[in-house]
Amino acid sequence: QVQLVESGGGLVQAGGSLRLSCAASGRTFSSIAMGWFRQAPGKEREFVAAIRWSSGSALYADSAKGRFTISRDNAKNTVYLQMTSLKPEDTAVYYCASTSRAGMSRIMNEYRDWGQGTQVTVSS
């Protein structure tokens, strides 16, 4: 029962940067970790990155490693995804999600609450 709202998506050129935000509200005490997922046209939703609220420990998909950085602001109940060196293949709807599991996960089904998504389009 965590409400999540993504923002920060938009249109950028290849090589550019973008920062996404995910604001959490409601029963946030039940959230242990947050994840970012994305879904490109014609593709299945895939894991991007995750972070634990308490320690800030992060987990990345291979496609995101070295280019994307996940972070959190506990006081604001907000998680960020800083994306750099963007490529056209990064074009997708990006979703944030919350899990009450003790650790982080790459598995979509382990996240209980989801935002509505924000569109990221990278042009070439």
Side-chain angles (χ1 to χ4, degrees):
Q1 205 172 20
V2 178
Q3 290 77 51
L4 304 172
V5 179
E6 302 97 336
S7 62
L11 174 64
V12 298
Q13 297 185 47
S17 300
L18 205 61
R19 188 174 74 164
L20 307 182
S21 299
C22 176
S25 61
R27 301 189 185 279
T28 56
F29 59 85
S30 66
S31 179
I32 302 300
M34 299 286 290
W36 284 99
F37 292 78
R38 67 186 184 186
Q39 187 165 21
K43 303 293 181 62
E44 295 186 352
R45 193 170 300 185
E46 65 177 1
F47 172 79
V48 178
I51 190 168
R52 181 181 289 190
W53 286 109
S54 59
S55 66
S57 298
L59 181 68
Y60 295 94
D62 288 342
S63 61
K65 194 173 301 181
R67 298 189 300 127
F68 295 1
T69 301
I70 189 170
S71 61
R72 92 291 192 209
D73 186 332
N74 290 17
K76 296 182 178 180
N77 286 324
T78 300
V79 174
Y80 305 94
L81 184 68
Q82 179 67 52
M83 304 184 292
T84 61
S85 301
L86 284 164
K87 307 172 182 178
E89 49 262 48
D90 294 318
T91 295
V93 176
Y94 284 70
Y95 300 88
C96 65
S98 173
T99 179
S100 60
R101 296 176 63 87
M104 299 172 287
S105 177
R106 301 173 182 267
I107 308 302
M108 183 175 65
N109 289 344
E110 295 181 352
Y111 292 80
R112 297 182 182 182
D113 301 296
W114 293 79
Q116 295 300 306
T118 185
Q119 176 71 50
V120 172
T121 302
V122 184
S123 64
S124 59

